[in-house]
Amino acid sequence: MTAARSGPAFSLHDIPFSTYGSWFDLSPVVAEKTYAEDLHLVSHQNGMHAVLRLVPLDAATGDRAETRVEATPGLLSWTSADGQIELAYETPDTVRLRGEGLDLRVAAAAKTLTPFSGSYFYRDPVDGAYLLTSYETGRRYRITVLSGAVADSSGTEALGSGERGVTVTADADGGGGTGGAWEIAVEELDSARRPFTSSATFDQVVAAAQRSFAEFADVAAPWRSSSTPAAELAAYVVWSATVRPAGLVTRPAVLMSKHWMDKVWSWDHCFNALALAAGSPDLAWDQFSLPFDHQDDSGALPDSVTHSEVLYNFVKPPIHGWTLGQLRRRLPEPLDRAELAETYHRLSRWTDFWLTARRAPGAALPHYQHGNDSGWDNATTFDPQRVIVTADLAAFLILQLRELAALATELGRSDEARRWTRTADATQAAMLDQLWTGDRFVARAVHSGDTWSTSSLLDLMPIALGEYLPEEVSSVLAERIEAHLTAFGLATELPTSPHYLADGYWRGPIWAPATVLVEDGLRRAGHVRLADEISARFRTLCETNGFAENFDALTGAGLRDRAYTWTASSYLLLAEAHELRHAAPAAHTGG
């Protein structure tokens, strides 16, 4: 009964099983750094919530069966010596399951129902299906038996504490016990919908799911080869973390993860947009635009957006000008004039926020209010004080100002273009005059005026200016950046620093966005050898240890959330660029 395998295999301990557009996944990860014994249906509506527990059972004894769990993009399976259970997505909100030789217990993850939490369980008299209503997600979960039988149901209409769920098994006349087969559908829905029906067989559902992923991989990474062995898995991480519009998510969105980092942060989204640009331009543009849909009256972007929450307590760095320039070069078709005008307006307001709300009176340079504003939450740059002027912020703003000047010129707004260029020049002059000491950039406290330097890679991020930096500055930065390069990539804190921590978030581990920004800046500044080495080591890191949120700089081990989309997207960006550079000479000689 096993359907043909398709796509890369992966561990559900690291990467959840899901599909494009779905708001739920199947995983043992039920909360931050929390792993259950059994797989759960975990929804990301109204937060991350484990809703249903899926337990394979020995058909003869009813005891929990020891099984081997395997997953590829289109098919999830539990296998034991006695039988197998398989699961596939029919639609983004519906999974089909079938079993033979094993029974399955589908139960509420929450043991207790209160007036404000848990799941209420009942049997619908309209169609005989079993439903749970979840207070946490605000959604219903319908279990429809398509073949086989319900061997046991418990907790229907019960209040308080207790087990709630059903056990599905084969019909007695189909073999019962250790034989026969069964099949069910599980749906996530709002209030109600018509009784479940489907004309597709389970094998057809699996085949359709496999085709959907294969088509995505072919447009996301058509350049992949044996020298980019992680490309398909990277594509799966991005594909499976994409959700359809719902709640406050205004567009199809690539969440950072379908583990606990299930949001869109207002700089993470940039790397997903860039990776998708060439093959899925509409989806890429949605990624770039989504935070701008929630831009506030001051021009600020939200810190993060998810299904039922938009946070403004911090912002994120203004890398959007850099991103837009890269994005426009990668999109297969240019933006039309209306899109350019709207983007110019949004980017102008975001830039004005930094020039007004984030510049003290008389100051030439903007400031962060906290490490979280930089995206490098706990970097050592912020140890002495939090409200500080830093060169990385100035550099990103300069790039954004220059991109605005280019947009204004294209839109025929020459006076505005000159104004943006003057501001960019003045900001760069102030950055070099006030923060460059001749051999390093320093940070400066806004209130006290104190300055300091640290061993954080953040101090070296002005390399993102690339060709705009004086050669003597970029050469010093390149030399200092190389000191951060371990066997696996760029450590965010020098490993020799007394503040280095193996799992210290931004105080040591390797991160994808820093890698991409540094690699690009070095390459544009002419430091190609170092850029190539950084790219090669990060690509090897991902090929060996997956797509974690970050990595131990000295061992390469994946840390924190293990299915992070900006890591996967960064791999795709660097791998594509490497493949195209490698192919270019062959293409030339072939002519």
Side-chain angles (χ1 to χ4, degrees):
M1 65 179 280
T2 303
R5 293 167 66 92
S6 176
F10 54 91
S11 167
L12 287 179
H13 187 270
D14 295 331
I15 300 173
F17 181 79
S18 192
T19 197
Y20 184 99
S22 181
W23 277 95
F24 68 84
D25 64 79
L26 286 303
S27 173
V29 181
V30 295
E32 182 175 356
K33 301 178 185 176
T34 304
Y35 297 81
E37 183 179 19
D38 295 303
L39 298 188
H40 284 64
L41 185 152
V42 181
S43 180
H44 299 273
Q45 301 199 59
N46 288 330
M48 178 186 184
H49 303 290
V51 180
L52 297 175
R53 186 176 77 256
L54 306 179
V55 186
L57 303 176
D58 184 293
T61 67
D63 296 331
R64 184 180 184 278
E66 292 300 319
T67 58
R68 181 180 72 257
V69 177
E70 297 177 297
T72 59
L75 183 66
L76 167 65
S77 64
W78 297 257
T79 305
S80 76
D82 298 317
Q84 185 175 58
I85 298 170
E86 295 175 317
L87 181 151
Y89 277 86
E90 181 163 4
T91 67
D93 65 15
T94 303
V95 289
R96 294 267 291 272
L97 296 96
R98 71 176 178 185
E100 185 173 350
L102 291 172
D103 293 346
L104 180 68
R105 179 70 176 172
V106 183
K111 293 289 189 181
T112 302
L113 174 66
T114 77
F116 304 104
S117 65
S119 295
Y120 172 63
F121 182 52
Y122 66 99
R123 189 177 188 192
D124 192 338
V126 173
D127 60 3
Y130 292 86
L131 284 96
L132 290 100
T133 67
S134 168
Y135 274 97
E136 283 72 24
T137 69
R139 301 299 181 274
R140 296 167 187 252
Y141 300 83
R142 182 166 68 180
I143 305 160
T144 302
V145 177
L146 306 178
S147 65
V150 172
D152 172 69
S153 65
S154 55
T156 56
E157 303 182 40
L159 306 179
S161 298
E163 176 80 7
R164 295 171 173 82
V166 297
T167 299
V168 290
T169 186
D171 284 320
D173 58 4
T178 59
W182 55 263
E183 186 172 341
I184 63 172
V186 179
E187 304 163 86
E188 182 178 57
L189 52 93
D190 294 337
S191 295
R193 65 173 56 157
R194 293 181 181 277
F196 178 84
T197 60
S198 175
S199 60
T201 66
F202 187 89
D203 287 334
Q204 288 170 337
V205 168
V206 173
Q210 291 171 340
R211 281 195 305 273
S212 177
F213 169 69
E215 289 166 0
F216 181 87
D218 284 344
V219 298
W223 39 262
R224 64 193 186 277
S225 72
S226 59
S227 64
T228 57
E232 279 199 27
L233 186 57
Y236 172 75
V237 170
V238 174
W239 177 80
S240 63
T242 304
V243 295
R244 66 187 186 277
L248 297 170
V249 174
T250 52
R251 303 163 183 262
V254 181
L255 303 178
M256 289 312 104
S257 174
K258 278 185 182 168
H259 287 327
W260 59 86
M261 300 296 280
D262 55 354
K263 297 184 179 184
V264 176
W265 276 270
S266 292
W267 72 310
D268 309 43
H269 70 112
C270 293
F271 301 90
N272 289 332
L274 291 175
L276 291 165
S280 300
D282 291 342
L283 184 60
W285 190 246
D286 283 333
Q287 302 323 297
F288 180 76
S289 302
L290 193 151
F292 286 93
D293 293 345
H294 296 280
Q295 197 167 19
D296 74 7
D297 291 342
S298 73
L301 298 184
D303 183 38
S304 62
V305 179
T306 191
H307 177 271
S308 303
E309 173 187 85
V310 179
L311 299 181
Y312 293 92
N313 53 326
F314 296 105
V315 291
K316 283 294 175 277
I319 67 166
H320 301 83
W322 171 84
T323 303
L324 182 61
Q326 299 264 348
L327 189 59
R328 294 179 69 196
R329 288 188 286 274
R330 291 179 56 78
L331 290 170
E333 299 291 336
L335 301 176
D336 62 35
R337 192 171 181 84
E339 289 172 323
L340 280 178
E342 180 185 33
T343 303
Y344 176 74
H345 174 68
R346 288 177 156 192
L347 198 63
S348 297
R349 295 183 61 230
W350 177 221
T351 305
D352 283 336
F353 164 82
W354 288 100
L355 295 174
T356 55
R358 289 302 182 90
R359 285 201 301 191
L365 297 174
H367 59 265
Y368 291 130
Q369 295 174 344
H370 186 279
N372 288 5
D373 287 341
S374 73
W376 294 51
D377 308 3
N378 66 335
T380 53
T381 303
F382 296 92
D383 280 0
Q385 297 188 49
R386 293 336 143 228
V387 183
I388 62 176
V389 171
T390 65
D392 70 293
L393 173 54
F396 294 141
L397 191 60
I398 291 162
L399 290 172
Q400 193 151 294
L401 288 160
R402 297 201 186 284
E403 185 64 24
L404 280 169
L407 286 171
T409 299
E410 195 168 341
L411 290 167
R413 304 179 185 185
S414 55
D415 289 345
E416 295 176 29
R418 285 190 289 271
R419 175 169 62 86
W420 293 123
T421 299
R422 285 195 302 270
T423 307
D425 291 342
T427 304
Q428 183 157 332
M431 178 189 75
L432 293 171
D433 179 59
Q434 298 177 24
L435 302 179
W436 179 247
T437 68
D439 68 347
R440 67 186 63 224
F441 281 107
V442 297
R444 190 184 74 239
V446 175
H447 294 298
S448 70
D450 295 343
T451 62
W452 59 87
S453 62
T454 72
S455 298
S456 175
L457 184 65
L458 183 62
D459 294 7
L460 307 176
M461 290 307 293
I463 194 65
L465 281 167
E467 69 275 20
Y468 296 113
L469 277 175
E471 192 278 332
E472 63 272 18
V473 176
S474 75
S475 293
V476 171
L477 292 179
E479 183 179 350
R480 290 187 173 277
I481 287 166
E482 191 155 17
H484 284 259
L485 188 58
T486 73
F488 303 98
L490 289 172
T492 46
E493 180 79 10
L494 277 177
T496 55
S497 163
H499 305 293
Y500 176 88
L501 294 170
D503 187 11
Y505 223 50
W506 292 93
R507 302 170 80 93
I510 295 164
W511 286 79
T515 300
V516 170
L517 286 161
V518 168
E519 192 268 357
D520 173 70
L522 285 168
R523 196 173 296 283
R524 288 188 291 109
H527 302 284
V528 175
R529 178 200 61 80
L530 182 55
D532 284 346
E533 191 61 33
I534 289 168
S535 171
R537 294 190 192 187
F538 184 79
R539 286 183 282 112
T540 300
L541 175 66
C542 293
E543 290 160 3
T544 305
N545 293 320
F547 305 106
E549 184 179 355
N550 54 38
F551 302 87
D552 186 311
L554 300 183
T555 69
L559 303 172
R560 309 291 174 127
D561 194 312
R562 302 298 180 86
Y564 217 73
T565 57
W566 77 355
T567 308
S569 288
S570 294
Y571 174 83
L572 291 171
L573 283 169
L574 295 174
E576 177 190 23
H578 169 73
E579 286 289 287
L580 296 179
R581 284 194 299 270
H582 180 74
H588 177 73
T589 56

